Amino acid sequence: MRTTTLWNDKWIFIKEGKKQEISLPHTWNAVDGQTGPEQYYRGTCIYEKEFDRPVLEYGERVYIEFRGVNSSCKVLMGEKEIAAHDGGYSTFRVDVTDFLQDENLIKVEVSNEPNGEVYPQRADFTFYGGIYRDVYMVIVDEKHFDLDYYGGDGLYVTPRIIGDDAEIEIKAYVNGGDSVLISVDGVSEQRFPVVENDGRKMVHGKFMIADVHLWNGMNDPYLYSITATLFDGERECDRIYDRFGVREFSVDAKRGFFLNGKSYPLHGVSRHQDREGVGNAITRKMHEEDIELILSMGANSIRLAHYQHDQYFYDLCDEKGIVVWAEIPYITVHMDAGRENTISQMKELITQNYNHASIMCWALSNEITLQGVTEDLMENHRILNDMVHEMDPIRYSAMANLFLLETDSPLVTLPDIRGYNLYYGWYVGEMDDNDRWFDEFHKNHPDVAIGLTEYGADAVIDLQSPMPEKGDYTESYQALYHEHMLEVFAARPYIWGTYLWNMFEFAAAGRNEAGDPGKNHKGVITFDRKQKKDAYYIYKAWWSDEPFVHLCGRRYHDRLEEETEIKVYSNQKSVTLYVDGARYATKNGEHVFKFNVLISGTHSIKAVSGELSDEMEIKKVSTPNPSYFAPDKKVRNWFEAPAEIEVKEGYLSINSTMAEIQVVPEGKAIIDHMMAAIKKETAGGMGVGVQISEAMQQMIARQPLVKLLQQGGMDTDSEEVQAISAALLKIRKI
């Protein structure tokens, strides 16, 4: 019978000729992949392990199982290459039986070098190199469940609800034997014969579960245990175990998401798998901490971006009742030579995760239209969409669209469900452009189910302001932004799901923003998971039943203003504020409670609701605290009037709209040069080659240039803006 042994110890890691003994999981980019746009190491490193021939029964086979090696690798026994794998986020196995000696050396050559065939190659996150998930040695009988088909275990369970009962369809693939015994939690035990089907040996059968116990999300995430035993005659050859849940997902274009026939709005977050100082070589304890933090905020769904995540995390989602959006790393830029890799990664994703109750869709791609839509891109998506439906008859195909993609693009309606990644109020436009976008989409496409698969605003936790504005990277602006977005969702129940970008800060090596390079700061919890930003608590106020009160702005200690706003987030209906121990005022309401307080020195502030309370200290100061501003921006007095904008009758200025400027050839040349520089800097250069939709162009055209510059984080009295202003003042209007 099968034995599985963790195989993480006593590996030798070799980088540029230097050797060190390590234990897995391991990445060579745990530090340099998180420090900014200086190129982190993307090359080939080697992992080696010596081992003795395991003790085997006659005919047994030995597999080495790799749960995640990023991103391409070759496996060698001695100096002979015996396997290769492209794709850094999925399980693959290597049968080493025929290459075993009494003493053995296995070598894994791992590369995260750029290439034109393996996804991802261009994205706003770090591509950590290494064997960053667990490795196992698996010893099986010569007749066993199929271990060679896209990293799966060979067992596939498809549940369908029929009234109060459920029909359970079983498929199990084997490489020998004559029958498989299927046992489910004592409610069913049946033996099915092995048959030949399309060149593969398998069993295929169905049975009923009466009065079925449904997997009902976070309300009741019930899982059935299933055991499959392979027989050859009466000899037991192999046995595998798994779990499944019986549930139905559906999406209505007007009423949103449904679970088991009942409305179940998806309050979701997105999650990357890395952590500060660790990279993607994270432990089970870290996975557990992540899911507990997500649950503590009240979320009931997770978008596991932008690749296949660790099996253990999908297991946790099954157990906790979290609905999951799963996807492959077909992202940002379509590569003509990458089609086969998208197909193999999708097959691996579905094959390895088919039985997870939590997964409701297989997403084809993310923001893949950054450089436009080609016929080859369309054909790639048609192939993937058809393959999803062929491999899985009960789940949705899905897609996350770049906010620049026109809503009448054929890509929008290709998959079963779709979401848009909208960043109005951060990269472009204003917060209320989100309202208008959804209203217009729903009016023009009333029968198309739409979700919001990304939205967010960056915040470096120490940056503070009493007058937060778009682009300032302050904790306070991020909180205001998410206050607005939650109101957007509440008013539009047809939005089938929303996915905050992001639950946690994560590494994006190409970024250099706000004095803290190498990170995407949109997380509502810091990269090290130690601090919750204020925005975390506005979600908790809307989504969580756990009673709490939270004082916002505790890191905004030094305050210039004589009258300051004290803001409280809570899921209670009434909050009382105390200042220096004295009752100040009581406010009734929901989610957000605001108090205006005169300050003159150092004050203790306390918010109370019943037995709940939260406290902080603030101080009146006469000069701004420079630590509240990003060091790459000029520190300004909050109450100082902005620099006057120079204008000349009949000439352009930075106060002119983009349309007014671009209609003049000399003005257009200035804008084109400026936009090229902005795109290069945006998200580590992710804006290079972007195709801006007609709707986006129209919105930008209506904006005064000075407003766009300010939204991009540039001060009107900076040298760069003054140079643009001087150039425009020499150009006559048309």
Side-chain angles (χ1 to χ4, degrees):
M1 296 293 284
R2 178 182 304 211
T3 62
T4 301
T5 305
L6 189 63
W7 222 47
N8 284 349
D9 294 335
K10 296 182 179 180
W11 285 81
I12 300 297
F13 172 65
I14 306 170
K15 177 185 175 185
E16 297 179 326
K18 297 179 180 178
K19 297 184 178 183
Q20 66 178 117
E21 184 172 327
I22 62 158
S23 293
L24 303 178
H26 176 267
T27 175
W28 62 73
N29 298 123
V31 176
D32 69 355
Q34 304 178 350
T35 53
E38 290 298 321
Q39 181 64 46
Y40 63 104
Y41 186 82
R42 295 186 67 182
T44 298
C45 296
I46 297 172
Y47 294 82
E48 294 181 346
K49 182 179 176 69
E50 294 180 344
F51 65 102
D52 295 333
R53 182 198 298 268
V55 177
L56 302 176
E57 299 291 336
Y58 177 77
E60 286 187 323
R61 309 295 297 181
V62 180
Y63 284 84
I64 306 302
E65 178 177 293
F66 298 89
R67 296 287 180 90
V69 181
N70 199 37
S71 56
S72 296
C73 73
K74 298 176 181 178
V75 180
L76 301 89
M77 286 288 285
E79 296 300 321
K80 180 178 177 61
E81 181 181 330
I82 62 172
H85 185 259
D86 289 322
Y89 305 98
S90 52
T91 294
F92 67 97
R93 301 185 186 93
V94 181
D95 186 343
V96 300
T97 314
D98 296 338
F99 307 96
L100 290 173
Q101 306 293 325
D102 291 340
E103 296 180 349
N104 302 277
L105 175 68
I106 189 169
K107 182 185 297 186
V108 188
E109 296 180 357
V110 184
S111 171
N112 66 341
E113 295 173 89
N115 65 72
E117 299 175 356
V118 182
Y119 288 96
Q121 290 298 322
R122 186 170 167 192
D124 189 24
F125 58 93
T126 296
F127 308 145
Y128 297 96
I131 305 179
Y132 69 95
R133 291 186 188 150
D134 292 335
V135 176
Y136 295 86
M137 176 183 280
V138 182
I139 300 175
V140 291
D141 189 272
E142 62 180 340
K143 297 178 180 179
H144 54 267
F145 289 97
D146 191 352
L147 294 174
D148 298 306
Y149 188 79
Y150 291 99
D153 288 331
L155 177 65
Y156 307 93
V157 183
T158 305
R160 295 179 176 88
I161 298 172
I162 303 174
D164 294 332
D165 307 328
E167 177 190 79
I168 310 300
E169 181 181 9
I170 299 293
K171 292 182 180 179
Y173 293 88
V174 299
N175 76 337
D178 54 29
S179 66
V180 174
L181 179 67
I182 300 292
S183 301
V184 178
D185 273 353
V187 301
S188 177
E189 185 170 284
Q190 295 190 45
R191 197 156 168 168
F192 300 96
V194 171
V195 297
E196 193 89 17
N197 183 41
D198 290 333
R200 299 180 69 191
K201 293 182 177 181
M202 67 173 300
V203 300
H204 184 199
K206 298 178 181 179
F207 58 88
M208 298 297 295
I209 298 179
D211 297 319
V212 67
H213 193 157
L214 298 180
W215 186 90
N216 203 26
M218 293 176 64
N219 299 319
D220 184 12
Y222 185 81
L223 296 169
Y224 285 93
S225 295
I226 184 169
T227 303
T229 306
L230 175 63
F231 285 85
D232 187 33
E234 293 306 310
R235 184 174 74 90
E236 295 184 9
C237 303
D238 194 14
R239 180 177 292 135
I240 54 177
Y241 307 90
D242 209 340
R243 297 178 300 179
F244 68 93
V246 179
R247 74 285 180 265
E248 287 181 340
F249 302 125
S250 60
V251 175
D252 185 272
K254 297 179 177 61
R255 297 181 296 160
F257 190 83
F258 283 72
L259 173 62
N260 299 329
K262 297 181 180 179
S263 178
Y264 194 82
L266 295 183
H267 303 144
V269 300
S270 298
R271 182 235 190 194
H272 267 296
Q273 66 183 357
D274 62 338
R275 189 174 285 224
E276 186 173 41
V278 179
N280 57 357
I282 58 177
T283 65
R284 285 196 168 201
K285 183 177 179 181
M286 292 174 182
H287 284 299
E288 293 162 3
E289 183 181 14
D290 277 6
I291 209 159
E292 289 304 323
L293 287 168
I294 291 168
L295 290 171
S296 73
M297 199 173 77
N300 64 5
S301 186
I302 304 177
R303 181 184 177 200
L304 290 178
H306 285 301
Y307 37 75
Q308 183 172 329
H309 284 234
D310 193 299
Q311 283 294 318
Y312 184 60
F313 200 82
Y314 293 108
D315 288 341
L316 291 173
C317 292
D318 292 344
E319 294 167 8
K320 302 295 184 180
I322 295 174
V323 176
V324 168
W325 165 296
E327 64 188 56
I328 59 171
Y330 184 21
I331 180 171
T332 306
V333 175
H334 170 76
M335 300 186 297
D336 290 343
R339 178 180 294 184
E340 289 306 312
N341 188 247
T342 68
I343 292 170
S344 65
Q345 291 207 51
M346 183 62 80
K347 286 183 177 179
E348 289 177 326
L349 178 70
I350 297 174
T351 300
Q352 295 171 27
N353 296 283
Y354 190 89
N355 295 337
H356 285 293
S358 55
I359 296 176
M360 62 97 169
C361 69
W362 310 111
L364 312 180
S365 64
N366 175 74
E367 296 189 356
I368 198 63
T369 59
L370 184 70
Q371 292 183 324
V373 179
T374 66
E375 180 51 38
D376 193 68
L377 180 150
M378 281 297 307
E379 180 65 17
N380 205 150
H381 281 77
R382 293 187 196 105
I383 291 170
L384 291 175
N385 194 59
D386 291 344
M387 189 173 69
V388 165
H389 293 132
E390 181 181 350
M391 293 183 69
D392 189 340
I394 65 171
R395 288 187 179 93
Y396 290 118
S397 64
M399 185 175 175
N401 296 313
L402 181 68
F403 68 101
L404 299 170
L405 179 67
E406 297 283 10
T407 58
D408 60 356
S409 168
L411 274 178
V412 174
T413 52
L414 175 67
D416 302 319
I417 58 173
R418 76 285 304 149
Y420 261 81
N421 299 348
L422 301 181
Y423 284 100
Y424 296 115
W426 186 244
Y427 292 125
V428 295
E430 305 298 336
M431 293 183 207
D432 55 9
D433 286 323
N434 292 286
D435 311 51
R436 284 189 285 273
W437 189 94
F438 273 108
D439 291 343
E440 184 175 340
F441 185 96
H442 192 56
K443 177 182 177 182
N444 294 335
H445 309 281
D447 298 321
V448 177
I450 188 68
L452 183 57
T453 36
E454 281 187 33
Y455 64 97
D458 290 85
V460 176
I461 197 164
D462 293 325
L463 303 186
Q464 304 293 328
S465 173
M467 301 172 66
E469 58 185 5
K470 175 183 161 186
D472 65 7
Y473 289 90
T474 62
E475 182 183 21
S476 33
Y477 179 80
Q478 185 192 49
L480 279 177
Y481 170 91
H482 287 294
E483 286 179 28
H484 179 83
M485 295 307 294
L486 282 158
E487 295 287 353
V488 171
F489 309 152
R492 293 162 180 84
Y494 59 83
I495 301 176
W496 62 258
T498 62
Y499 293 92
L500 160 67
W501 192 261
N502 197 286
M503 185 68 194
F504 309 105
E505 294 178 343
F506 59 90
R511 285 181 176 254
N512 186 9
E513 300 170 339
D516 190 23
K519 300 180 187 68
N520 186 308
H521 297 95
K522 293 184 184 67
V524 296
I525 294 179
T526 53
F527 199 9
D528 61 5
R529 277 53 168 180
K530 300 299 183 186
Q531 298 184 84
K532 301 179 179 73
K533 301 176 189 178
D534 285 340
Y536 163 92
Y537 291 96
I538 186 58
Y539 283 93
K540 192 176 180 73
W542 277 85
W543 291 353
S544 175
D545 293 329
E546 180 187 3
F548 81 101
V549 292
H550 170 75
L551 280 163
C552 299
R554 68 182 62 253
R555 283 169 284 272
Y556 175 41
H557 179 269
D558 299 340
R559 306 193 176 202
L560 277 172
E561 62 270 25
E562 293 182 357
E563 183 177 71
T564 193
E565 180 184 82
I566 304 297
K567 185 163 61 176
V568 180
Y569 293 153
S570 179
N571 52 11
Q572 304 302 290
K573 300 298 184 184
S574 178
V575 172
T576 299
L577 193 74
Y578 291 81
V579 179
D580 296 329
R583 183 181 177 280
Y584 184 80
T586 297
K587 294 285 182 72
N588 298 318
E590 286 189 319
H591 314 310
V592 183
F593 303 82
K594 297 178 180 179
F595 305 84
N596 292 321
V597 177
L598 293 170
I599 57 174
S600 57
T602 301
H603 303 279
S604 65
I605 307 294
K606 186 175 184 179
V608 176
S609 181
E611 300 297 316
L612 306 168
S613 65
D614 193 21
E615 298 183 57
M616 69 180 186
E617 179 187 277
I618 61 173
K619 181 181 179 180
K620 173 72 173 70
V621 296
S622 57
T623 58
N625 184 335
S627 69
Y628 293 168
F629 299 87
D632 54 353
K633 294 177 68 174
K634 179 182 176 183
V635 176
R636 65 187 185 279
N637 188 311
W638 291 312
F639 302 102
E640 189 177 80
E644 285 194 21
I645 297 171
E646 186 178 354
V647 296
K648 281 170 51 178
E649 185 69 29
Y651 288 81
L652 297 173
S653 73
I654 60 173
N655 210 34
S656 302
T657 67
M658 292 285 282
E660 290 175 316
I661 297 171
Q662 289 181 306
V663 76
V664 185
E666 298 92 332
K668 184 177 185 301
I670 291 172
I671 296 300
D672 289 346
H673 179 78
M674 182 193 74
M675 291 300 293
I678 290 174
K679 287 179 182 180
K680 186 176 181 180
E681 292 299 321
T682 301
M686 291 302 297
V688 176
V690 67
Q691 303 293 312
I692 300 178
S693 69
E694 183 179 345
M696 181 64 63
Q697 291 177 29
Q698 292 174 355
M699 188 193 73
I700 292 173
R702 295 192 296 268
Q703 301 284 335
L705 174 59
V706 64
K707 188 173 184 181
L708 295 172
L709 293 171
Q710 290 170 333
Q711 290 173 347
M714 300 177 73
D715 292 322
T716 55
D717 56 357
S718 68
E719 291 182 7
E720 299 96 323
V721 175
Q722 290 300 311
I724 295 170
S725 177
L728 290 172
L729 287 167
K730 298 175 183 178
I731 303 172
R732 283 190 174 275
K733 291 182 178 180
I734 291 179

